[in-house]
């Protein structure tokens, strides 16, 4: 099968160097050599998290690490605040529900970001709620949240902030220590450009105090066990995935963490402005660098656009989720992508939409994206 160009919000296109590293011979994990190696990976990952806090490693997808946060940070009678502005905010609520934790959902309209003032209001109204679960980039609606200012509000109420940065880490700005974020969850298959299967949690000293008091059931996910054998890992780690991650981290650090963020933001801007030039609308009121959600003009259906993009052009994009399933498409701009990929995806989209009956002036979006991307060509020299 010819590989597709992945412009989906995870897994993303993985660099060839990373795939080759994943295929290196197996190694053993019980011994000082493994611990030393994982420690070097940790040093690299901390530069992306921008933290000195402990990072724990799990063989899991991102949701596993989200569940780990719930069962390690909460007591049965806690009343956490969960910000629900999309599928992944709701996931925090669903996990709380699975453990019979009575959470308070702060529902916001899909496609909007929660204002820090709204969170302040919730904390004032519910002084017993001392922990907030939220999202850095709500992938289901392609919406970036203002975590820096949400963190300021959380600190002023002495509340612990837990951020799902599964899609956002390495794609949009996040300064774990400088912004005072207690817990950050991430996964391997998004901007870290590795295959799926690794999840990470960074934990502040303040949050470790909650871990000490937590009374929810856990075994595999136990943060204390993971910390005790930090670089040896209590159970068998996903060694090949760590090999892949190590190489992807090298690639990111060679370019520079902030340079990568700038490049993704430029891709996102090119896609947004191309969409406007095509006469279409970006769905989110707070768009960002992970992916862009585009409203489809009726009667177009997302599944038809996806099918044509995949079958005719070998480019995989995503549809919406839940009530947005048919109404939006999502184009991702993270992973191993070049300006060539962005331009060809936009050209393929214009042809697809026009063949499906939309009034699109062929080339209008691509032209705008070319202007934006070519003005920056120097930054792509390697
Ligand atoms: N949170 C966000 C923001 C995500 O984008 C995703 C994956 N799309 C998840 C959580 C769930 O992660 P996983 O599929 O790795 O369990």
């Amino acid at each position: 099968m010819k590989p597709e160009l992945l412009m989906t919000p995870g897994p993303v296109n993985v660099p060839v160097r990373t795939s080759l590293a994943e295929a290196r011979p197996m190694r053993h994990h019980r011994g000082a050599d493994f611990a030393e190696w994982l420690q070097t990976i940790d040093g690299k990952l901390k530069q992306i998290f921008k933290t000195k806090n402990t990072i724990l490693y799990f063989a899991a997808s991102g949701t596993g690490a989200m569940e780990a946060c719930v069962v390690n940070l909460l007591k049965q009678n806690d009343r956490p605040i969960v910000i629900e502005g999309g599928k992944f905010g709701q996931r925090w609520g669903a996990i709380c529900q699975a453990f019979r934790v009575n959470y308070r959902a702060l529902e916001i309209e899909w496609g909007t970001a929660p204002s820090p003032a709204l969170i302040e209001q919730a904390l004032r109204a519910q002084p017993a709620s001392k922990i907030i679960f939220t999202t850095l980039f709500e992938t289901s609606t392609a919406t970036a949240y203002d975590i820096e200012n949400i963190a300021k509000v959380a600190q002023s109420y002495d509340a612990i902030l837990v951020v799902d940065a599964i899609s956002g880490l390495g794609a949009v700005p996040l300064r774990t220590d400088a912004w005072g974020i207690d817990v950050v969850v991430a996964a391997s298959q998004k901007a870290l450009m590795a295959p799926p299967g690794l999840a990470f949690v960074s934990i502040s000293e303040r949050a470790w105090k909650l871990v000490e008091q937590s009374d929810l059931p856990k075994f595999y996910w136990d943060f204390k066990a993971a910390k005790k054998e930090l670089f040896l890992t209590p159970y068998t780690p996903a060694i090949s995935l760590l090999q892949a991650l190590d190489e992807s981290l090298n690639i990111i650090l060679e370019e520079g963490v902030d340079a990568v963020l700038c490049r993704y933001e430029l891709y996102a801007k090119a896609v947004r402005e191309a969409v406007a030039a095509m006469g279409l609308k970006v769905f989110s009121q707070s768009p960002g660098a992970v992916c862009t959600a585009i409203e489809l003009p009726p009667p177009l259906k997302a599944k038809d656009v996806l099918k044509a993009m995949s079958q005719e052009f070998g480019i995989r994009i995503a549809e919406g989720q839940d009530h947005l399933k048919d109404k939006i498409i999502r184009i991702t701009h993270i992973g191993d992508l070049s300006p060539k990929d962005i331009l060809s995806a936009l050209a393929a989209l214009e042809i697809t939409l026009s063949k499906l009956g939309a009034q699109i002036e062929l080339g209008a979006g691509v032209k705008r994206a070319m202007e934006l991307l070519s003005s920056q060509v120097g930054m792509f020299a390697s």
Side-chain angles (χ1 to χ4, degrees), residues 9-10 60-64 66 88 91 135-140 164-168 187 189-190 196 321 330:
S61 83
T63 305
M66 290 172 76
F88 296 109
R91 187 156 300 176
T135 320
L136 176 60
F137 190 93
E138 177 51 76
T139 323
S140 62
D164 160 4
I166 289 171
S167 65
Q189 79 274 22
K190 313 268 185 181
Q321 288 176 298
R330 291 173 299 150

PDB file of all heavy atoms in Angstrom, residues 9-10 60-64 66 88 91 135-140 164-168 187 189-190 196 321 330, ligand 1:
ATOM      1  N   PRO A   9      -5.134  14.756  12.821  1.00  0.00           N
ATOM      2  CA  PRO A   9      -4.584  15.186  14.122  1.00  0.00           C
ATOM      3  C   PRO A   9      -4.095  14.015  14.977  1.00  0.00           C
ATOM      4  O   PRO A   9      -4.509  13.848  16.101  1.00  0.00           O
ATOM      5  CB  PRO A   9      -5.750  15.934  14.765  1.00  0.00           C
ATOM      6  CG  PRO A   9      -6.970  15.501  14.059  1.00  0.00           C
ATOM      7  CD  PRO A   9      -6.591  14.872  12.752  1.00  0.00           C
ATOM      8  N   GLY A  10      -3.235  13.200  14.465  1.00  0.00           N
ATOM      9  CA  GLY A  10      -2.608  12.118  15.192  1.00  0.00           C
ATOM     10  C   GLY A  10      -3.222  10.782  14.860  1.00  0.00           C
ATOM     11  O   GLY A  10      -4.435  10.680  14.917  1.00  0.00           O
ATOM     12  N   ALA A  60       1.111   3.751  26.745  1.00  0.00           N
ATOM     13  CA  ALA A  60      -0.338   3.964  26.626  1.00  0.00           C
ATOM     14  C   ALA A  60      -0.585   5.038  25.582  1.00  0.00           C
ATOM     15  O   ALA A  60       0.332   5.763  25.214  1.00  0.00           O
ATOM     16  CB  ALA A  60      -0.919   4.452  27.957  1.00  0.00           C
ATOM     17  N   SER A  61      -1.823   5.141  25.135  1.00  0.00           N
ATOM     18  CA  SER A  61      -2.186   6.326  24.354  1.00  0.00           C
ATOM     19  C   SER A  61      -2.461   7.448  25.362  1.00  0.00           C
ATOM     20  O   SER A  61      -2.431   7.234  26.583  1.00  0.00           O
ATOM     21  CB  SER A  61      -3.387   6.035  23.459  1.00  0.00           C
ATOM     22  OG  SER A  61      -4.578   6.165  24.182  1.00  0.00           O
ATOM     23  N   GLY A  62      -2.735   8.627  24.857  1.00  0.00           N
ATOM     24  CA  GLY A  62      -2.917   9.783  25.740  1.00  0.00           C
ATOM     25  C   GLY A  62      -4.008   9.585  26.777  1.00  0.00           C
ATOM     26  O   GLY A  62      -3.861  10.000  27.940  1.00  0.00           O
ATOM     27  N   THR A  63      -5.088   8.919  26.393  1.00  0.00           N
ATOM     28  CA  THR A  63      -6.215   8.735  27.311  1.00  0.00           C
ATOM     29  C   THR A  63      -5.793   7.957  28.563  1.00  0.00           C
ATOM     30  O   THR A  63      -6.290   8.216  29.660  1.00  0.00           O
ATOM     31  CB  THR A  63      -7.376   8.004  26.578  1.00  0.00           C
ATOM     32  OG1 THR A  63      -7.687   8.756  25.406  1.00  0.00           O
ATOM     33  CG2 THR A  63      -8.600   7.883  27.446  1.00  0.00           C
ATOM     34  N   GLY A  64      -4.871   7.012  28.396  1.00  0.00           N
ATOM     35  CA  GLY A  64      -4.374   6.264  29.558  1.00  0.00           C
ATOM     36  C   GLY A  64      -3.765   7.217  30.576  1.00  0.00           C
ATOM     37  O   GLY A  64      -4.022   7.121  31.784  1.00  0.00           O
ATOM     38  N   MET A  66      -4.439  10.372  30.849  1.00  0.00           N
ATOM     39  CA  MET A  66      -5.510  11.205  31.427  1.00  0.00           C
ATOM     40  C   MET A  66      -6.165  10.453  32.585  1.00  0.00           C
ATOM     41  O   MET A  66      -6.397  11.008  33.659  1.00  0.00           O
ATOM     42  CB  MET A  66      -6.566  11.533  30.348  1.00  0.00           C
ATOM     43  CG  MET A  66      -6.076  12.484  29.271  1.00  0.00           C
ATOM     44  SD  MET A  66      -7.258  12.659  27.896  1.00  0.00           S
ATOM     45  CE  MET A  66      -8.509  13.719  28.610  1.00  0.00           C
ATOM     46  N   PHE A  88     -12.631  16.304  23.792  1.00  0.00           N
ATOM     47  CA  PHE A  88     -11.553  15.925  24.704  1.00  0.00           C
ATOM     48  C   PHE A  88     -11.707  16.541  26.089  1.00  0.00           C
ATOM     49  O   PHE A  88     -11.292  15.937  27.071  1.00  0.00           O
ATOM     50  CB  PHE A  88     -10.189  16.176  24.052  1.00  0.00           C
ATOM     51  CG  PHE A  88     -10.042  15.293  22.839  1.00  0.00           C
ATOM     52  CD1 PHE A  88     -10.064  15.819  21.554  1.00  0.00           C
ATOM     53  CD2 PHE A  88      -9.979  13.922  22.977  1.00  0.00           C
ATOM     54  CE1 PHE A  88     -10.000  14.995  20.438  1.00  0.00           C
ATOM     55  CE2 PHE A  88      -9.932  13.077  21.871  1.00  0.00           C
ATOM     56  CZ  PHE A  88      -9.930  13.615  20.596  1.00  0.00           C
ATOM     57  N   ARG A  91     -13.875  14.214  27.695  1.00  0.00           N
ATOM     58  CA  ARG A  91     -13.234  12.952  28.102  1.00  0.00           C
ATOM     59  C   ARG A  91     -12.807  13.004  29.567  1.00  0.00           C
ATOM     60  O   ARG A  91     -12.916  12.019  30.296  1.00  0.00           O
ATOM     61  CB  ARG A  91     -12.035  12.635  27.202  1.00  0.00           C
ATOM     62  CG  ARG A  91     -11.471  11.260  27.498  1.00  0.00           C
ATOM     63  CD  ARG A  91     -10.730  10.673  26.352  1.00  0.00           C
ATOM     64  NE  ARG A  91     -11.577  10.514  25.184  1.00  0.00           N
ATOM     65  CZ  ARG A  91     -11.142  10.089  23.991  1.00  0.00           C
ATOM     66  NH1 ARG A  91      -9.872   9.769  23.835  1.00  0.00           N
ATOM     67  NH2 ARG A  91     -11.961   9.978  22.971  1.00  0.00           N
ATOM     68  N   THR A 135      -7.795  21.610  28.686  1.00  0.00           N
ATOM     69  CA  THR A 135      -7.146  21.164  27.455  1.00  0.00           C
ATOM     70  C   THR A 135      -6.339  22.321  26.874  1.00  0.00           C
ATOM     71  O   THR A 135      -6.798  23.462  26.910  1.00  0.00           O
ATOM     72  CB  THR A 135      -8.248  20.762  26.428  1.00  0.00           C
ATOM     73  OG1 THR A 135      -9.284  20.066  27.125  1.00  0.00           O
ATOM     74  CG2 THR A 135      -7.705  19.903  25.319  1.00  0.00           C
ATOM     75  N   LEU A 136      -5.160  22.020  26.356  1.00  0.00           N
ATOM     76  CA  LEU A 136      -4.357  23.091  25.730  1.00  0.00           C
ATOM     77  C   LEU A 136      -4.909  23.408  24.345  1.00  0.00           C
ATOM     78  O   LEU A 136      -5.142  24.559  24.002  1.00  0.00           O
ATOM     79  CB  LEU A 136      -2.889  22.650  25.622  1.00  0.00           C
ATOM     80  CG  LEU A 136      -1.932  23.605  24.915  1.00  0.00           C
ATOM     81  CD1 LEU A 136      -1.864  24.968  25.601  1.00  0.00           C
ATOM     82  CD2 LEU A 136      -0.517  22.997  24.836  1.00  0.00           C
ATOM     83  N   PHE A 137      -5.139  22.367  23.559  1.00  0.00           N
ATOM     84  CA  PHE A 137      -5.708  22.550  22.222  1.00  0.00           C
ATOM     85  C   PHE A 137      -6.815  21.530  22.068  1.00  0.00           C
ATOM     86  O   PHE A 137      -6.559  20.321  22.080  1.00  0.00           O
ATOM     87  CB  PHE A 137      -4.626  22.364  21.145  1.00  0.00           C
ATOM     88  CG  PHE A 137      -5.102  22.785  19.780  1.00  0.00           C
ATOM     89  CD1 PHE A 137      -4.879  24.076  19.302  1.00  0.00           C
ATOM     90  CD2 PHE A 137      -5.794  21.899  18.964  1.00  0.00           C
ATOM     91  CE1 PHE A 137      -5.341  24.469  18.044  1.00  0.00           C
ATOM     92  CE2 PHE A 137      -6.255  22.278  17.707  1.00  0.00           C
ATOM     93  CZ  PHE A 137      -6.024  23.575  17.249  1.00  0.00           C
ATOM     94  N   GLU A 138      -8.051  22.008  21.987  1.00  0.00           N
ATOM     95  CA  GLU A 138      -9.221  21.109  21.859  1.00  0.00           C
ATOM     96  C   GLU A 138      -9.282  20.656  20.398  1.00  0.00           C
ATOM     97  O   GLU A 138      -9.784  21.356  19.526  1.00  0.00           O
ATOM     98  CB  GLU A 138     -10.488  21.844  22.316  1.00  0.00           C
ATOM     99  CG  GLU A 138     -11.786  21.082  22.180  1.00  0.00           C
ATOM    100  CD  GLU A 138     -11.789  19.678  22.775  1.00  0.00           C
ATOM    101  OE1 GLU A 138     -11.864  19.492  24.006  1.00  0.00           O
ATOM    102  OE2 GLU A 138     -11.721  18.729  21.951  1.00  0.00           O
ATOM    103  N   THR A 139      -8.724  19.469  20.149  1.00  0.00           N
ATOM    104  CA  THR A 139      -8.541  18.992  18.775  1.00  0.00           C
ATOM    105  C   THR A 139      -9.866  18.784  18.031  1.00  0.00           C
ATOM    106  O   THR A 139      -9.919  18.951  16.818  1.00  0.00           O
ATOM    107  CB  THR A 139      -7.758  17.662  18.804  1.00  0.00           C
ATOM    108  OG1 THR A 139      -6.781  17.737  19.851  1.00  0.00           O
ATOM    109  CG2 THR A 139      -7.044  17.406  17.505  1.00  0.00           C
ATOM    110  N   SER A 140     -10.919  18.429  18.769  1.00  0.00           N
ATOM    111  CA  SER A 140     -12.186  18.132  18.090  1.00  0.00           C
ATOM    112  C   SER A 140     -12.781  19.372  17.427  1.00  0.00           C
ATOM    113  O   SER A 140     -13.516  19.260  16.456  1.00  0.00           O
ATOM    114  CB  SER A 140     -13.193  17.530  19.079  1.00  0.00           C
ATOM    115  OG  SER A 140     -13.483  18.456  20.095  1.00  0.00           O
ATOM    116  N   ASP A 164      -4.488  18.809  29.543  1.00  0.00           N
ATOM    117  CA  ASP A 164      -4.310  17.823  28.474  1.00  0.00           C
ATOM    118  C   ASP A 164      -3.650  18.556  27.308  1.00  0.00           C
ATOM    119  O   ASP A 164      -4.276  19.349  26.611  1.00  0.00           O
ATOM    120  CB  ASP A 164      -5.695  17.262  28.097  1.00  0.00           C
ATOM    121  CG  ASP A 164      -5.721  16.611  26.709  1.00  0.00           C
ATOM    122  OD1 ASP A 164      -4.672  16.524  26.053  1.00  0.00           O
ATOM    123  OD2 ASP A 164      -6.819  16.201  26.285  1.00  0.00           O
ATOM    124  N   ALA A 165      -2.336  18.295  27.156  1.00  0.00           N
ATOM    125  CA  ALA A 165      -1.584  18.929  26.061  1.00  0.00           C
ATOM    126  C   ALA A 165      -1.246  17.867  25.018  1.00  0.00           C
ATOM    127  O   ALA A 165      -0.215  17.939  24.347  1.00  0.00           O
ATOM    128  CB  ALA A 165      -0.319  19.586  26.616  1.00  0.00           C
ATOM    129  N   ILE A 166      -2.133  16.861  24.902  1.00  0.00           N
ATOM    130  CA  ILE A 166      -1.838  15.704  24.046  1.00  0.00           C
ATOM    131  C   ILE A 166      -1.604  16.148  22.602  1.00  0.00           C
ATOM    132  O   ILE A 166      -0.644  15.715  21.961  1.00  0.00           O
ATOM    133  CB  ILE A 166      -2.970  14.651  24.174  1.00  0.00           C
ATOM    134  CG1 ILE A 166      -2.873  14.001  25.564  1.00  0.00           C
ATOM    135  CG2 ILE A 166      -2.882  13.596  23.066  1.00  0.00           C
ATOM    136  CD1 ILE A 166      -4.042  13.111  25.935  1.00  0.00           C
ATOM    137  N   SER A 167      -2.441  17.041  22.091  1.00  0.00           N
ATOM    138  CA  SER A 167      -2.186  17.521  20.722  1.00  0.00           C
ATOM    139  C   SER A 167      -1.360  18.793  20.714  1.00  0.00           C
ATOM    140  O   SER A 167      -0.689  19.093  19.734  1.00  0.00           O
ATOM    141  CB  SER A 167      -3.503  17.757  19.985  1.00  0.00           C
ATOM    142  OG  SER A 167      -4.226  18.804  20.593  1.00  0.00           O
ATOM    143  N   GLY A 168      -1.390  19.553  21.809  1.00  0.00           N
ATOM    144  CA  GLY A 168      -0.774  20.891  21.790  1.00  0.00           C
ATOM    145  C   GLY A 168       0.713  20.922  22.074  1.00  0.00           C
ATOM    146  O   GLY A 168       1.437  21.809  21.593  1.00  0.00           O
ATOM    147  N   ALA A 187       1.329  12.970  24.615  1.00  0.00           N
ATOM    148  CA  ALA A 187       1.436  11.640  23.995  1.00  0.00           C
ATOM    149  C   ALA A 187       2.376  11.725  22.796  1.00  0.00           C
ATOM    150  O   ALA A 187       2.667  12.808  22.294  1.00  0.00           O
ATOM    151  CB  ALA A 187       0.055  11.146  23.576  1.00  0.00           C
ATOM    152  N   GLN A 189       2.185  10.643  19.605  1.00  0.00           N
ATOM    153  CA  GLN A 189       1.795  10.575  18.187  1.00  0.00           C
ATOM    154  C   GLN A 189       1.368  11.886  17.552  1.00  0.00           C
ATOM    155  O   GLN A 189       0.840  11.881  16.452  1.00  0.00           O
ATOM    156  CB  GLN A 189       0.681   9.531  18.009  1.00  0.00           C
ATOM    157  CG  GLN A 189      -0.722   9.970  18.402  1.00  0.00           C
ATOM    158  CD  GLN A 189      -1.064   9.796  19.852  1.00  0.00           C
ATOM    159  OE1 GLN A 189      -0.192   9.722  20.699  1.00  0.00           O
ATOM    160  NE2 GLN A 189      -2.336   9.748  20.183  1.00  0.00           N
ATOM    161  N   LYS A 190       1.571  13.006  18.255  1.00  0.00           N
ATOM    162  CA  LYS A 190       1.126  14.290  17.690  1.00  0.00           C
ATOM    163  C   LYS A 190       2.374  15.092  17.314  1.00  0.00           C
ATOM    164  O   LYS A 190       3.161  14.630  16.497  1.00  0.00           O
ATOM    165  CB  LYS A 190       0.241  15.024  18.689  1.00  0.00           C
ATOM    166  CG  LYS A 190      -0.822  14.128  19.310  1.00  0.00           C
ATOM    167  CD  LYS A 190      -2.107  14.150  18.560  1.00  0.00           C
ATOM    168  CE  LYS A 190      -3.155  13.338  19.294  1.00  0.00           C
ATOM    169  NZ  LYS A 190      -4.422  13.296  18.600  1.00  0.00           N
ATOM    170  N   PRO A 196       2.130   6.191  17.796  1.00  0.00           N
ATOM    171  CA  PRO A 196       1.311   6.185  19.007  1.00  0.00           C
ATOM    172  C   PRO A 196       1.785   5.120  19.995  1.00  0.00           C
ATOM    173  O   PRO A 196       2.362   4.107  19.583  1.00  0.00           O
ATOM    174  CB  PRO A 196      -0.094   5.829  18.499  1.00  0.00           C
ATOM    175  CG  PRO A 196      -0.025   5.680  17.033  1.00  0.00           C
ATOM    176  CD  PRO A 196       1.396   5.740  16.595  1.00  0.00           C
ATOM    177  N   GLN A 321     -16.285  15.632  14.810  1.00  0.00           N
ATOM    178  CA  GLN A 321     -16.672  14.593  15.759  1.00  0.00           C
ATOM    179  C   GLN A 321     -18.050  14.935  16.333  1.00  0.00           C
ATOM    180  O   GLN A 321     -18.442  16.109  16.386  1.00  0.00           O
ATOM    181  CB  GLN A 321     -15.622  14.470  16.870  1.00  0.00           C
ATOM    182  CG  GLN A 321     -14.348  13.831  16.326  1.00  0.00           C
ATOM    183  CD  GLN A 321     -13.229  13.766  17.354  1.00  0.00           C
ATOM    184  OE1 GLN A 321     -12.762  14.772  17.840  1.00  0.00           O
ATOM    185  NE2 GLN A 321     -12.800  12.563  17.678  1.00  0.00           N
ATOM    186  N   ARG A 330     -11.140  18.698   9.152  1.00  0.00           N
ATOM    187  CA  ARG A 330      -9.987  19.225   9.900  1.00  0.00           C
ATOM    188  C   ARG A 330      -8.698  18.881   9.157  1.00  0.00           C
ATOM    189  O   ARG A 330      -8.463  17.712   8.834  1.00  0.00           O
ATOM    190  CB  ARG A 330      -9.975  18.648  11.321  1.00  0.00           C
ATOM    191  CG  ARG A 330     -11.120  19.173  12.190  1.00  0.00           C
ATOM    192  CD  ARG A 330     -11.192  18.482  13.530  1.00  0.00           C
ATOM    193  NE  ARG A 330     -11.431  17.056  13.400  1.00  0.00           N
ATOM    194  CZ  ARG A 330     -11.008  16.129  14.253  1.00  0.00           C
ATOM    195  NH1 ARG A 330     -10.327  16.487  15.332  1.00  0.00           N
ATOM    196  NH2 ARG A 330     -11.270  14.856  14.050  1.00  0.00           N
TER     197      ARG A 330
HETATM  198  N1  LIG B   1      -6.867  14.886  24.105  1.00  0.00           N
HETATM  199  C1  LIG B   1      -6.638  15.518  22.949  1.00  0.00           C
HETATM  200  C2  LIG B   1      -6.576  17.012  22.952  1.00  0.00           C
HETATM  201  C3  LIG B   1      -6.455  14.791  21.776  1.00  0.00           C
HETATM  202  O1  LIG B   1      -6.222  15.423  20.614  1.00  0.00           O
HETATM  203  C4  LIG B   1      -6.525  13.387  21.823  1.00  0.00           C
HETATM  204  C5  LIG B   1      -6.350  12.538  20.581  1.00  0.00           C
HETATM  205  N2  LIG B   1      -6.869  13.054  19.430  1.00  0.00           N
HETATM  206  C6  LIG B   1      -6.767  12.781  23.053  1.00  0.00           C
HETATM  207  C7  LIG B   1      -6.935  13.557  24.178  1.00  0.00           C
HETATM  208  C8  LIG B   1      -6.864  11.286  23.170  1.00  0.00           C
HETATM  209  O2  LIG B   1      -5.602  10.751  22.997  1.00  0.00           O
HETATM  210  P1  LIG B   1      -5.387   9.217  22.603  1.00  0.00           P
HETATM  211  O3  LIG B   1      -6.162   8.972  21.359  1.00  0.00           O
HETATM  212  O4  LIG B   1      -3.892   9.171  22.407  1.00  0.00           O
HETATM  213  O5  LIG B   1      -5.834   8.398  23.739  1.00  0.00           O
END
